[in-house]
């Protein structure tokens, strides 16, 4: 069951309709008397309880209305007209139920955020040279090193470590246990999830004349634009000389690895477990599926879509969708096919030879 | 060398035989006089030192008995009879040496755990509204937010952050530096390893009418059953509306990514580096190999085995084993075969054409 | 822009030339008068500002010299001779510009490190039984458990947790938020990045007689040699009975998973996101590309190179390069080829049948 407000904190259905009206969306109540209903949360058709609001966006879920326990459901006029009997729930009429859901989910989440404690916790360790703007929250056991600059309304979660000289723009939030190394630059309205590490050394070694590896010091840093979200345990390495750059509006899911000197263009969204090797430039408005692997020193143009699990080993100059995952099968079938894969080049020779014979006849 | 107890802490061989007897296993000593031997730890045949006990379970390792340094070795009667000379070590006779090893390893590990400090560390930050049951341990610099409920014998490691409203059942242990977001529910006897993050936002964005991405607030949470183990740096995201659910007895290795609204059925075991995209349901008693990737919105039935590295891109309705990894080869051979893969569809056409010619002759 | 020293902290160009002379490298200034120039940092040809030094190593970047803003550039005599007009920057003449860059980058980074605060922070929690050598730094909110041994010049970052009995050799540095479990052994001059977890339980379970899984306690530990670097959020599990071993000079990038009882030989370098399953032995001087997956219980000999993304499912006895990634394509082309892959075994049969017909004619 999702997070619920208490009955005291909860808005009425009428207040929620008013809230979306303020965003320019004209929703109406099928029964004006339902305006007084208290709504403590938002849930799916299948699981919403009698104190929650739900919505029907996908027509295939129409049958779920029958057993829906929600206090209220957002429906389009068209769907409402299809109901054969008066429903057990209050009805909010709106043409784009998914959009209204998105706004209300945001509303409930914001409400929760506003209830969080503010201020600078007594256990936080803050270097005297750090510049902390008004209304900044710093959680317990956080560490803010020398010359850090935190703009207004920045929120630093418990146990975060913000390295020397790092700058964070207005309204950016760090969830607990985030590490920012030294001199990292982060824009406004970003959200960094727990466990992510920004600005660790890029993987730079040269063969040492006396054997083994000589470390190439990584003296660049990381620049992150505005409105960027970075998932849990994702790592973004600092540049070797120039910076690693993540542009405005980029969304990174969990456990992504961004190598040194990578550039990711505006509004590109990358699903979990993707690895991007050093110095690769990814364009704007790309969508990259989970567990894709992208080699180093490539250029990928704007508006490229990469399917999950695909290994990108050369640059992509044309927008469009690219794939490359070997299709799975039952283990037995796969064994048979895999055996042929190891002999493909031979198989092609056999076909060529047959073709020659066939032509010569 | 594994962890050793000091000679003072160490049990005698006789005490260990008594301990397994209490579990219903009748082991005997080949020489009763060896009961007084002090046993400080448990090790492999190859590396156990003269204060440790070892075991022979795999018949292929028989020759290792010759140079074994262990104080004592667990052998089956059959193996014992094969020894041509009296061994340098004491012999414990038991028909299932691996089972006795498992019990003794547990015993030594439990002993270490019991020696750990208890109580609530003075540096832990605990919200006054949190409910802390008897015998709870909270390590240094841990943070327990508002309305958290910790049941009896819960152990919270150093530097953990437990978000508001989260509930943890009896005897569950969090290793150091675990993050639980708000409202997460965790059952009894679970073990969460360092760096894992439970309840971060699922990756939910809708194209924004004005360009870029609009965040879909993630108002569901995560429910974890009893006897679940979660590996280091694994992430389990909270649900968008409904919850992400991990059933009783599930074992997750390190660096696994569980997307929002995923369900994992009872006793399913998943090896490291697996990614599971959002809303996928995985059945009970499945075994998933390392680095497998599972697409979103799929249903995988019970008792499915997936080989390591396999990309599962469609639902699986029949129990059994599934595979899909492209076999590796020397780089040169791979280059030849890979070139053909990019022309497979063409190759099939050529075969068809040959077949047509062949038939028409 | 990379990290810059202040003008006060900055060396002169002459001092930098002297510094490399002390390392046995004879660089000279094209114009001796440039020795007085203050150099605040090091940058790339394209982005270095007027207070930084740069270098030209790759001849393809020659044209970037035209617009280079750097205060000074390291050039070979040969490249210097090709300049048609006197450059806007001071010129340092040296035959191996990349080598001089590597030394100077190290110099600037070392300078930054020396400026860091030292000593044991008042908020660190240190067990009285821990042995702390001279000149050890322990950051805020770090936790040092019982019987830990820290040698001279060890540096423990903020929020690290060092488990009971763990030993760390001279000059080793832990960045913030690293977890070392109990009894881990780490050599000298290692660098562990933020979020890495060393010594969590290996993934060891046996089917339980009453259903589900019985945990096999992991009583081994982890041994790490000298000069090892471990990337952000990488995990190295403790051994089941014997130890997991990482030899001298090994370099591990971010988000790598090293399973229990794995051995990695000297000077092997492994790129990000690689997973290595339990009990596999990897030789010395290997290079493993990003996102490769290596199955358990394998032996890989010395001097093996594995291409990124390759799944290694059997032992490798011969040095050389191995690959195995399915080549990507436009989604449409891939669909056509992927369909054939699922029928490869059938295709081979068709070719065989054609061959038989062809021979019989």
């Amino acid at each position: 069951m999702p997070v619920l407000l208490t009955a005291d904190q909860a808005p009425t259905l009428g207040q929620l309709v008013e809230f979306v009206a303020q965003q320019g969306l004209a929703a109406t109540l099928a029964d004006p008397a339902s305006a007084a209903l208290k709504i403590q949360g938002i849930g799916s058709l299948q699981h919403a309880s009698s104190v929650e609001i739900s919505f029907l966006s996908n027509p295939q879920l129409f049958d779920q209305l029958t057993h829906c326990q929600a206090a209220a459901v957002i429906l389009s006029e068209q769907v409402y007209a299809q109901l054969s009997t008066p429903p057990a729930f209050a009805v909010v009429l709106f043409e784009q139920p998914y959009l209204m859901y998105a706004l209300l989910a945001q509303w409930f989440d914001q409400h929760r955020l506003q209830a969080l404690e503010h201020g600078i916790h007594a256990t936080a360790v803050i270097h005297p040279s750090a510049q902390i703007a008004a209304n900044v929250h710093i959680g317990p056991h956080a560490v803010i090193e020398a010359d850090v600059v935190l703009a207004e309304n920045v929120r630093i979660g418990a146990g975060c470590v913000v390295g020397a000289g790092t700058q964070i723009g207005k309204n950016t939030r760090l969830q607990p246990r985030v590490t920012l190394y030294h001199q990292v630059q982060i824009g406004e309205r970003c959200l960094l999830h727990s466990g992510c590490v920004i600005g660790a050394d890029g993987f730079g070694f040269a063969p040492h004349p006396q054997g083994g590896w000589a470390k190439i010091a990584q003296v660049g840093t990381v620049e992150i634009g505005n409105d960027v979200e970075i998932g849990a345990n994702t790592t973004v390495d600092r540049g070797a000389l120039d910076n690693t750059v993540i542009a405005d509006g980029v969304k990174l899911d969990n456990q992504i690895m961004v190598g040194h000197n990578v550039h990711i263009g505006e509004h590109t969204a990358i699903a979990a477990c993707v690895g991007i090797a050093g110095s690769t430039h990814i364009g704007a408005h790309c969508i990259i599926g989970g567990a894709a692997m992208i080699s180093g020193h490539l250029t990928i143009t704007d508006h490229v879509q990469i399917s999950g699990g695909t290994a990108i080993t050369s640059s992509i100059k044309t927008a469009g969708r690219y794939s490359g995952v070997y299709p799975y099968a039952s283990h037995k079938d796969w064994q048979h096919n895999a055996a042929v894969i190891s002999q493909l080049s031979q198989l092609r020779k056999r076909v060529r030879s047959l073709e020659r014979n066939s032509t010569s006849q």
Side-chain angles (χ1 to χ4, degrees), chain A residues 148-188:
Chain A
V148 164
V149 179
L150 304 182
E152 281 169 47
N153 297 316
V154 162
R155 188 172 181 91
I156 306 291
C160 287
V161 179
V162 181
T166 283
Q167 305 189 352
I168 305 183
K170 285 182 200 170
N171 297 303
T172 283
R173 274 193 293 147
L174 273 59
Q175 294 283 13
R177 297 206 309 99
V178 165
T179 300
L180 308 180
Y181 277 56
H182 55 283
Q183 311 286 115
V184 169
Q185 295 160 41
I186 302 195
E188 304 182 354

Side-chain angles (χ1 to χ4, degrees), chain A residues 200-206 213 215-216 218 237-240 257 259-260 278:
Chain A
D201 287 353
F203 198 61
F205 298 92
W213 298 100
K215 181 175 175 73
I216 307 293
Q218 306 289 301
D237 276 357
R238 66 191 316 109
M257 162 59 183
H260 55 177

Side-chain angles (χ1 to χ4, degrees), chain A residues 116-126 136-144 150 154-162 172-180 191-196:
Chain A
L116 292 178
E117 291 173 57
H118 279 78
I120 296 177
H121 198 273
T123 60
V125 172
I126 301 174
V136 165
H137 167 81
I138 303 180
H141 302 311
V143 177
I144 311 292
L150 304 182
V154 162
R155 188 172 181 91
I156 306 291
C160 287
V161 179
V162 181
T172 283
R173 274 193 293 147
L174 273 59
Q175 294 283 13
R177 297 206 309 99
V178 165
T179 300
L180 308 180
L191 175 56
L192 277 69
H193 281 285
S194 186
C196 73

